[in-house]
Amino acid sequence: MARELLACHLWLSISLCFLFLANIQHGTCFYLPGVAPEDFHKGDLLMRVKVNKLTSTKTQLPYSYYSLPYCHPDQIVDSAENLGEVLRGDRIENSPYVFKMREPRMCNVLCRLTLNAKTAKELKEKIDDEYRVNMILDNLPLVVPLQRPDQESSLVYLHGFLVGLKGQYSGSKEEKHFIHNHLTFVVKYHRDPVTETSRIVGFEVKPFSVKHEYEGDWDENTRLTTCDPHARKIVSGSEPPQEVVDKKEIIFTYDVELQESDVKWASRWDSYLLMADDQIHWFSIINSLMILLFLSGMVAMIMLRTLYRDISKYNQLETQEDAQEETGWKLVHGDVFRPPENSDLLCVYVGTGVQFFGMILVTMIFAALGFLSPSNRGGLMTAMLLLWALMGLCGGYSSARLYKLFKGTEWKRIALKTAFMFPAIAFAIFFVLNALIWGQKSSRAVPFGTMFALVFLWFGISVPLVFVGSYLGFKKPVIEDPVKTNKIARQIPEQAWYMNPIFAILIGGILPFGPVFIELFFILTSIWLHQFYYIFGFLFIVFLILIVTCAEITVVLCYFQLCSEDYLWWWRSYLTSGSSALYLFLYAAFYFFTKLEITKPISGVLYFGYMLLLSYAFFVVTGMIGFYACFLFTRLIYSSVKID
């Protein structure tokens, strides 16, 4: 017992250390990097903008910023990225955009480039696919503020600005491509009156397309005639846009406006994370609670009335000498704990479900407490992968305990299957999808070093912990059944049409899907439309409701099944709640055709490939919940009656 407690303590300590490291790798800075607090108020303080990936909701394929003909710094330096950032396709690099604190800049020339046929084609393709440019200043993402049409006093923030626009100009009927080559940055800062320091609390941009002109030959002192000679500012609306054409010269410029803000540094992420539709989430919670109350009423009726009456009747019949015939669920007491077919596979899926359940539960707790903020890019995904590997201890323990209950003797075999079955399937799908992404030369393609890190998490951490958990689980005493199992299996009578296994399983998956489908919409929106999801409090409540719903609907259907003298409940209990994953995948398909504008076949393959993985993980988690609910329910009711 002491060794098991020591192992659990060590495992928990390692998991907390991993979470801490994942959280601080890109933690927000109190001051700009490399700047002393006492120098923060000085006017010569440099603010360096970093560039991130180019993203599009139409293709779902991110690309590096410098894959397009943009102005380069003297030397391109990649920022250190964690595992989650690499898997998301983030490529954070330095840029030539450098600001000075409290020093506005107007119409500052960045560089001059001349397009060739290849670069012009690449720009046009990115404009057609509505790619957006993402930048970062002091860990804040660049946003474009837009006025909400329904609320004049409310703003909505779009992440990044469009590479360009496609349209007509000056009466021409032909659509042309125009690039956003002038950026008006708005840097908001909050001044601390006590320390006389300033901290950045906002980073906004207004993009323009301007065909710049100048007089004479180009040199460092060339003045652009498209700028106001006094304010050195773009004459808005007076100049034609910059068209993307082969052998065309493009001059990139930018403005910097500094605005003092009342927003404190600790609250600077609120404008990014505040959701304007909290009422929808509350409606989701209320809708889920109504489903939960309905199911709880059914379970209460079964447990408190029907089941109590059954147990009382069975116990009274045992005292009567003439009671010879049993009916209902007690009749199958000699077969209800008979090991099912493919019991090894069931043990593997239950163990995998426990592993995923532990990962999700711990991740949600840490996220709800604020440890996995979106300001820590990639922190959520990194934490989930690390926790999945560490939870192999719980998965191996659960599968081995169940395997021993089914009279299994080769615990190493079941540990091997638990450690490799789900990860091998997931890794195979991921490898194929990654090959497709690599063929498109997207930044989301996972490099060899990161692939090695994933394999190390699997073979170096998860597999050994699964074997340790299986060893500890198999050493525990076998779980004793409350009743003895007959040597010869009884015949199952013909069932009514509504007790058909396929029909019952499909019906059982609808109710668990009900509490999650509204939150699922926001999760899919954050993943595929590149928006922040930071309402983990709502998500945690929905997850708890999902657990109770899966357990209750499976118990109700299991009771009806046993009353009809069908004792094959092991697999059906798993599949009943697990079938909700089918509805999740169908909803994902509905979301694809109604909300997304993906037209390229490869992007569609990526979407359905990743959603297949998500549905598969949802299947093993919900199936495990339903299985353990029925496992406890059957042991409870059969231990409550007197059986010879």
Side-chain angles (χ1 to χ4, degrees):
M1 184 66 179
R3 284 184 296 179
E4 294 176 10
L5 290 175
L6 181 62
C8 290
H9 177 73
L10 178 63
W11 163 78
L12 182 60
S13 301
I14 294 174
S15 64
L16 290 175
C17 290
F18 271 118
L19 276 176
F20 179 73
L21 290 173
N23 190 50
I24 66 172
Q25 183 169 352
H26 276 276
T28 53
C29 303
F30 286 95
Y31 301 95
L32 288 180
V35 179
E38 60 271 15
D39 296 333
F40 213 88
H41 64 282
K42 296 181 179 180
D44 59 350
L45 173 62
L46 295 181
M47 300 180 291
R48 303 184 183 277
V49 177
K50 294 183 178 181
V51 291
N52 200 350
K53 57 189 175 183
L54 308 173
T55 57
S56 170
T57 58
K58 285 191 173 184
T59 66
Q60 303 298 333
L61 292 171
Y63 288 91
S64 170
Y65 174 84
Y66 293 112
S67 62
L68 290 182
Y70 283 125
C71 301
H72 288 231
D74 295 335
Q75 182 181 4
I76 298 177
V77 180
D78 294 333
S79 300
E81 297 169 350
N82 57 37
L83 182 60
E85 286 180 303
V86 177
L87 294 177
R88 281 162 32 103
D90 287 343
R91 294 296 183 269
I92 301 176
E93 300 160 313
N94 62 329
S95 77
Y97 293 99
V98 180
F99 313 153
K100 285 188 177 181
M101 194 63 178
R102 301 183 184 177
E103 183 179 318
R105 291 189 177 186
M106 298 299 169
C107 202
N108 194 71
V109 177
L110 194 65
C111 73
R112 183 184 62 152
L113 298 175
T114 302
L115 300 180
N116 54 36
K118 180 181 178 181
T119 54
K121 179 182 178 182
E122 291 175 348
L123 275 174
K124 290 179 180 180
E125 290 177 350
K126 295 299 186 292
I127 293 174
D128 288 335
D129 292 331
E130 298 181 4
Y131 270 86
R132 308 186 75 90
V133 179
N134 295 277
M135 297 182 178
I136 301 170
L137 178 64
D138 190 30
N139 203 35
L140 279 179
L142 180 69
V143 295
V144 178
L146 293 177
Q147 196 77 35
R148 289 177 64 96
D150 54 341
Q151 300 176 8
E152 294 183 359
S153 60
S154 179
L155 292 176
V156 60
Y157 294 98
L158 300 179
H159 299 287
F161 63 92
L162 290 171
V163 173
L165 297 173
K166 184 179 180 181
Q168 301 173 354
Y169 179 74
S170 66
S172 174
K173 296 182 178 180
E174 180 185 359
E175 284 194 336
K176 299 180 180 180
H177 296 80
F178 305 101
I179 185 175
H180 285 141
N181 61 324
H182 178 82
L183 304 177
T184 298
F185 294 105
V186 179
V187 179
K188 297 183 178 181
Y189 65 94
H190 177 76
R191 187 198 306 269
D192 190 340
V194 179
T195 61
E196 288 296 325
T197 58
S198 299
R199 298 178 178 179
I200 297 173
V201 296
F203 187 35
E204 302 175 359
V205 70
K206 298 177 182 177
F208 297 95
S209 179
V210 181
K211 185 180 179 180
H212 285 299
E213 296 180 356
Y214 56 91
E215 298 176 350
D217 296 330
W218 179 266
D219 55 35
E220 294 181 357
N221 300 320
T222 298
R223 185 179 67 84
L224 300 177
T225 59
T226 46
C227 288
D228 188 303
H230 302 288
R232 290 189 59 80
K233 191 174 182 180
I234 292 296
V235 183
S236 179
S238 63
E239 299 298 332
Q242 177 63 62
E243 185 181 355
V244 178
V245 183
D246 182 20
K247 300 180 181 179
K248 197 74 172 182
E249 181 184 71
I250 299 179
I251 299 175
F252 290 89
T253 58
Y254 67 95
D255 300 335
V256 180
E257 297 180 11
L258 298 172
Q259 295 181 4
E260 188 170 356
S261 173
D262 295 331
V263 177
K264 295 183 178 180
W265 187 88
S267 306
R268 64 177 186 164
W269 275 86
D270 290 354
S271 58
Y272 296 88
L273 304 179
L274 286 178
M275 306 297 293
D277 39 26
D278 285 345
Q279 293 182 354
I280 298 179
H281 295 280
W282 283 116
F283 173 77
S284 170
I285 298 293
I286 295 174
N287 173 66
S288 304
L289 288 175
M290 294 299 294
I291 297 175
L292 183 61
L293 290 175
F294 171 73
L295 282 176
S296 299
M298 292 184 63
V299 173
M301 182 183 67
I302 292 174
M303 298 295 291
L304 299 180
R305 295 187 58 186
T306 309
L307 190 58
Y308 178 78
R309 183 181 59 196
D310 290 347
I311 294 174
S312 300
K313 182 181 68 174
Y314 293 152
N315 290 335
Q316 289 175 3
L317 288 176
E318 288 296 328
T319 62
Q320 300 176 10
E321 297 180 358
D322 55 345
Q324 300 293 331
E325 185 177 356
E326 298 173 346
T327 58
W329 53 267
K330 186 184 178 184
L331 185 62
V332 295
H333 68 270
D335 300 278
V336 72
F337 293 108
R338 187 182 303 280
E341 296 182 1
N342 298 320
S343 59
D344 288 6
L345 185 61
L346 180 62
C347 296
V348 170
Y349 271 108
V350 170
T352 304
V354 171
Q355 185 175 0
F356 267 95
F357 180 83
M359 176 201 75
I360 295 172
L361 183 63
V362 176
T363 301
M364 283 192 180
I365 292 175
F366 277 92
L369 294 176
F371 289 100
L372 300 175
S373 170
S375 61
N376 177 21
R377 290 178 181 80
L380 179 63
M381 185 173 294
T382 304
M384 291 180 68
L385 289 172
L386 291 174
L387 284 171
W388 172 82
L390 295 172
M391 287 295 171
L393 183 69
C394 302
Y397 181 88
S398 303
S399 61
R401 288 282 284 164
L402 190 61
Y403 179 70
K404 193 172 184 179
L405 174 65
F406 293 152
K407 306 299 186 294
T409 57
E410 301 177 7
W411 67 271
K412 294 181 181 179
R413 184 181 67 180
I414 205 67
L416 192 66
K417 291 182 178 180
T418 305
F420 282 92
M421 179 168 289
F422 182 93
I425 296 174
F427 190 82
I429 297 176
F430 175 76
F431 186 82
V432 172
L433 296 179
N434 190 66
L436 295 175
I437 298 174
W438 180 80
Q440 297 296 311
K441 299 180 180 180
S442 170
S443 63
R444 180 170 285 178
V446 178
F448 176 78
T450 306
M451 195 73 74
F452 176 79
L454 294 175
V455 174
F456 173 77
L457 281 177
W458 180 11
F459 286 89
I461 300 178
S462 179
V463 172
L465 287 178
V466 169
F467 272 86
V468 171
S470 298
Y471 173 74
L472 296 176
F474 201 77
K475 280 186 61 178
K476 299 285 288 185
V478 66
I479 303 174
E480 297 292 338
D481 293 330
V483 293
K484 295 182 179 179
T485 302
N486 297 332
K487 293 182 178 180
I488 302 176
R490 66 177 288 114
Q491 185 176 0
I492 299 175
E494 185 177 353
Q495 301 293 303
W497 65 270
Y498 52 84
M499 292 304 298
N500 183 276
I502 297 178
F503 179 79
I505 288 171
L506 293 178
I507 291 297
I510 295 178
L511 289 178
F513 176 73
V516 302
F517 83 95
I518 295 180
E519 286 302 318
L520 181 63
F521 170 82
F522 293 100
I523 293 174
L524 293 180
T525 300
S526 66
I527 295 175
W528 301 107
L529 295 182
H530 312 301
Q531 298 181 9
F532 285 120
Y533 184 89
Y534 194 59
I535 45 176
F536 293 104
F538 284 108
L539 186 62
F540 186 68
I541 295 174
V542 170
F543 182 65
L544 295 179
I545 295 175
L546 172 67
I547 295 173
V548 180
T549 306
C550 287
E552 289 184 346
I553 188 61
T554 312
V555 165
V556 169
L557 294 180
C558 180
Y559 174 76
F560 291 154
Q561 178 186 353
L562 294 177
C563 287
S564 63
E565 301 177 11
D566 184 357
Y567 53 85
L568 301 178
W569 64 273
W570 297 95
W571 271 109
R572 191 185 293 194
S573 64
Y574 193 98
L575 297 174
T576 296
S577 55
S579 64
S580 57
L582 173 63
Y583 298 100
L584 187 150
F585 188 78
L586 293 177
Y587 181 80
F590 171 79
Y591 183 88
F592 177 84
F593 291 108
T594 57
K595 300 297 180 181
L596 299 182
E597 299 178 356
I598 295 177
T599 55
K600 295 186 177 182
I602 291 182
S603 300
V605 172
L606 294 177
Y607 176 85
F608 284 103
Y610 285 124
M611 292 311 302
L612 181 63
L613 282 177
L614 178 63
S615 302
Y616 191 23
F618 193 75
F619 166 74
V620 297
V621 171
T622 54
M624 179 275 300
I625 296 171
F627 171 82
Y628 272 119
C630 280
F631 182 75
L632 296 175
F633 173 73
T634 53
R635 296 182 66 83
L636 176 65
I637 63 174
Y638 282 101
S639 62
S640 302
V641 296
K642 300 176 182 178
I643 298 175
D644 292 335

